[in-house]
Structure formats: structure tokens, C-alpha cells
DNA sequence: ATGGTGGTCATACCA
């Protein structure tokens, strides 16, 4: 089972780039972030025509997550628990059953800039809530896949110019510590585990020729429960997508599970 | 220190 995560930066603006990638990469599951669409405005037929089941958790203008899956999506849950006043659409869960059942989470972690400030506080509080949700899900003792845009650069080797990010919410010590504490509950960071070398990026800013200079950062991650890590076959990044027509500023990250 | 690009929605906000 091939499971990918892709921050598409607007589903309407990315129809062509997204469908071209789906047809080429052929994931069984695609976790999408920043759909920037209400549920009723999501062009679900385009994906259903390609054989995908579609579940969305959108909001107007910003944020929004979705799951596309060739297998039926069961027990869908929307929203990260822990704050009833939080109206931002950043979390969706569903189960797919292939050879074995896999619980999927698609997540769009808050950016948090400027830091310090209320947006940074929201980011750190959101990460606390995520940690609690992960702890609960780990008690299921089943394959769990947490894929998404984490807006966290885990280490200096995950940025082409780490010195440029020292005061940024994506690289502040608090953000990295919170990410580390989630991983250290017993999750496997798929890309880092498969290839620990520096220089693997998933995001290149639209500005200042970041892509042409390979001035990238690695902020899109796949975290696996022990039961998912046991069946991890491969993991990678579809870097070439960044060179396509009207690309997102992120590229897809994928894993292959024996599941 | 500033502005550089892009998406959404229609004016600023977000990244």
C-alpha cells in the first residue's frame, strides 16, 4: 500500500499538477493539506472518476485537509480533539483495510509565525493536543500513519540554510522539542529512518529563486506507529513535481507499506 | 531593513 502526503496549496489552483502526479505516482492513499476549500466546493468528481474515495475537512479560504483513497475510507473523524473553540480544519482520520487495517491521519500543523506571539502559542498548544491524541491512538496497537505538513524543520540538516531559520516558528527550539517529544513516544520518522543524509527537502519557497538555488527545508513528514514501521518497505520524496507547471511549493512524500 | 511570490477572495490575510 502506497500512502502519500502532499500540501497542494489550493486544490482549485492545483487540479492539473495534482492529477498529473496522481496518474504518474499512483498512490493508493493521498493525504492532502491546504485544500483551501469548503467541503462543498471540493472538486471530488475529478478524483472519484479516477477511482478514489474522497473525504474532506475544509474551511473557507485557508487550511483544509482531505484524503483520497482507492480503498474505502471507514470511521472517518474530523478535527483534532482537545479544544472545542478551535475552528481551523487541520486534522482528518480514517481507516483503510488492505491486507491489514491501517489508521490514517492527515494533518496540517500550524505555521506559528511570527514567533513569539499568539500564532506561535497556538502552534505549541496544537502540538500538545496532537501528542495527547497520538498517545491515545497508540493504545490501539495497530498500524498508524501520521502524514502531513508539520511545519517543523526537525534538525539543522533538514534546511539548506539553517542559520536563516533560527528565529522562525518552523525551527525554534520549542517547535523542534515538541516534534521530538511526539516522535519519542515511539513513532518512526519514515524518511529520516530510510535515508538519514542531509539535503532532503520537501518545500521550496516561491520567492527569491529558492527552488533554483535548492534553498529548501524538510517539513512534510510521515510518522509511523511500531506496527506500521514493522511493515515499512520504502519511503521517498517526489522532488521532480516541484519542476512542473504551476507547482505547489511543497512536493509529495510517500511510503510503501506491506499492508 | 525591505520586498521578493503565490492562493483565496475581492481586501487583506496567510504562508
Amino acid at each position: 500500500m502506497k500512502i502519500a502526503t502532499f500540501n497542494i496549496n489550493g486544490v482549485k489552483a492545483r487540479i492539473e499538477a495534482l492529477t498529473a502526479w496522481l496518474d504518474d505516482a499512483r498512490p493508493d492513499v493521498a493525504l492532502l493539506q491546504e485544500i483551501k476549500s469548503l467541503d462543498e466546493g471540493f472538486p471530488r468528481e475529478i478524483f472519484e472518476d479516477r477511482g478514489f474515495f474522497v473525504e474532506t475537512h475544509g474551511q473557507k479560504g485557508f487550511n483544509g485537509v482531505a484524503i483520497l483513497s482507492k480503498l474505502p475510507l471507514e470511521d472517518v473523524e474530523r478535527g483534532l480533539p482537545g479544544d472545542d473553540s478551535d475552528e481551523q480544519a487541520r486534522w482528518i482520520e480514517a481507516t483503510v483495510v488492505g491486507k491489514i487495517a491501517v489508521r490514517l491521519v492527515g494533518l496540517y500543523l500550524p505555521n506559528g509565525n511570527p514567533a513569539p506571539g499568539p500564532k506561535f502559542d497556538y502552534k505549541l498548544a496544537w502540538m500538545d493536543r496532537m501528542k495527547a491524541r497520538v498517545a491515545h491512538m497508540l493504545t490501539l496497537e495497530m498500524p498508524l500513519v501520521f502524514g502531513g505538513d508539520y511545519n517543523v524543520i526537525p534538525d539543522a540538516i533538514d534546511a539548506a540554510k539553517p542559520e536563516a531559520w533560527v528565529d522562525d516558528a518552523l525551527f525554534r527550539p520549542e517547535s523542534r522539542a515538541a516534534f521530538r517529544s511526539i516522535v519519542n513516544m515511539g513513532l518512526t520518522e519514515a524518511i529520516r529512518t530510510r535515508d538519514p543524509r542531509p539535503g532532503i527537502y520537501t518545500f521550496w519557497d516561491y520567492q527569491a529563486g529558492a527552488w533554483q538555488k535548492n534553498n529548501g527545508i524538510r517539513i512534510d513528514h510521515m510518522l509511523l506507529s511500531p506496527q506500521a514501521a514493522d511493515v515499512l518497505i520504502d519511503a521517498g520524496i517526489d522532488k521532480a513535481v516541484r519542476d512542473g507547471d504551476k507547482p505547489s511549493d511543497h512536493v509529495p512524500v510517500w511510503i510503501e507499506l506491506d499492508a
Side-chain angles (χ1 to χ4, degrees), chain A residues 17 35 39 52 66 73 76 110 130 140 181 191 193 220 224 236 239-240:
Chain A
I35 63 173
D39 293 335
F52 289 102
L73 292 162
V76 179
M130 175 172 173
L140 300 171
S181 78
I191 294 293
T193 299
D220 299 272
L224 311 179
K239 186 175 182 181

Side-chain angles (χ1 to χ4, degrees), chain A residues 12-227:
Chain A
K12 295 174 189 70
R14 215 63 63 208
I15 293 291
E16 294 197 15
L18 176 56
T19 54
W21 167 73
L22 287 170
D23 294 345
D24 185 47
R26 309 202 74 79
D28 298 294
V29 173
L31 308 168
L32 304 179
Q33 301 88 41
E34 281 206 273
I35 63 173
K36 297 186 174 181
S37 168
L38 292 164
D39 293 335
E40 53 267 39
F42 192 86
R44 54 188 307 127
E45 304 78 14
I46 290 172
F47 308 105
E48 289 169 344
D49 289 347
R50 282 174 162 75
F52 289 102
F53 296 90
V54 177
E55 295 290 347
T56 61
H57 180 39
Q59 69 178 90
K60 188 183 172 100
F62 311 109
N63 304 326
V65 289
I67 307 179
L68 314 179
S69 174
K70 295 277 174 122
L71 293 163
L73 292 162
E74 303 173 10
D75 302 322
V76 179
E77 294 189 54
R78 293 169 176 79
L80 176 62
D83 181 358
D84 292 340
S85 69
D86 185 2
E87 295 182 347
Q88 299 194 32
R90 297 179 173 275
W91 184 274
I92 188 169
E93 300 182 14
T95 297
V96 289
V97 184
K99 284 162 61 177
I100 55 176
V102 177
R103 185 71 173 164
L104 306 163
V105 176
L107 67 104
Y108 177 45
L109 206 148
N111 175 297
N113 280 305
K119 291 188 177 180
F120 192 54
D121 296 340
Y122 173 69
K123 176 179 195 157
L124 297 178
W126 199 97
M127 295 181 84
D128 275 345
R129 289 161 57 200
M130 175 172 173
K131 187 173 182 179
R133 182 63 182 163
V134 171
H136 172 73
M137 293 177 73
L138 282 169
T139 67
L140 300 171
E141 299 192 7
M142 68 177 289
L144 310 171
V145 175
F146 300 89
D149 176 359
Y150 282 71
N151 270 314
V152 175
I153 302 165
D155 211 338
I157 63 169
D158 300 308
K161 297 184 177 179
E163 67 279 6
W165 295 92
V166 290
D167 293 323
D168 194 284
L170 278 59
F171 194 55
R172 300 251 315 190
E174 301 95 322
S175 307
R176 297 169 58 202
F179 178 80
R180 210 164 48 235
S181 78
I182 291 170
V183 173
N184 283 340
M185 281 191 290
L187 302 179
T188 294
E189 211 249 85
I191 294 293
R192 169 71 86 236
T193 299
R194 293 286 305 178
D195 187 350
R197 293 174 295 181
I200 299 171
Y201 310 130
T202 66
F203 169 93
W204 295 260
D205 202 287
Y206 288 120
Q207 303 180 77
W211 167 246
Q212 288 74 17
K213 298 176 194 166
N214 194 28
N215 180 16
I217 53 177
R218 194 174 70 91
I219 56 176
D220 299 272
H221 308 298
M222 285 279 199
L223 303 190
L224 311 179
S225 71
Q227 294 79 8

